[in-house]
Amino acid sequence: MYFTLLIVVILTAIALVAVALGIAKAISPRSYNPQKGEAYECGIPTRGKSWMQFRVGYYLFAILFLMFDVETVFLFPWAVVVQDLGIYGLVSIIFFLVVLVLGLVYAWRKGALEWK
């Protein structure tokens, strides 16, 4: 019973995606200008290779920013209902903050926050 329902849902999803792509291809405007295939870099023609490697430090810094941004997203709803949660809510949020601080200390010790 559930297997049949799962197959129907998967086939329906595939059909809807195929129909949407077909309609988009049929009604989309077409332009065969060779300039459309070139990389756009603020109107300035590229010199050399367009692909370049970035230092991994940028990615680590971005991941740390996201980690503490998500922390804020989780702290706000907790602050709204802190009165209703009692001591269990306080202990759980302290555990959450300790894990985040340990992550920050680890990243700091590894040198992820230093720009070299």
Side-chain angles (χ1 to χ4, degrees):
M1 171 72 181
Y2 291 115
F3 183 71
T4 309
L5 183 62
L6 179 66
I7 296 296
V8 169
V9 168
I10 290 173
L11 290 177
T12 304
I14 291 172
L16 287 175
V17 169
V19 167
L21 288 174
I23 290 173
K25 181 120 177 108
I27 66 173
S28 65
R30 290 171 181 76
S31 175
Y32 299 106
N33 190 345
Q35 266 187 328
K36 293 282 186 177
E38 292 182 11
Y40 177 72
E41 304 237 353
C42 301
I44 301 170
T46 59
R47 291 185 212 140
K49 294 192 309 184
S50 296
W51 294 98
M52 55 190 248
Q53 292 182 340
F54 289 99
R55 286 187 21 223
V56 73
Y58 296 123
Y59 297 111
L60 291 175
F61 198 80
I63 288 171
L64 287 171
F65 172 76
L66 286 175
M67 182 176 78
F68 289 103
D69 196 39
V70 169
E71 171 196 3
T72 306
V73 168
F74 283 128
L75 280 177
F76 182 75
W78 172 82
V80 171
V81 295
V82 69
Q83 298 254 335
D84 300 335
L85 296 177
I87 194 73
Y88 175 73
L90 181 64
V91 170
S92 62
I93 204 66
I94 287 174
F95 178 74
F96 178 69
L97 290 174
V98 165
V99 169
L100 284 173
V101 167
L102 287 175
L104 177 64
V105 168
Y106 176 77
W108 203 329
R109 285 253 168 126
K110 286 291 187 178
L113 300 177
E114 295 176 10
W115 294 102
K116 294 179 184 176

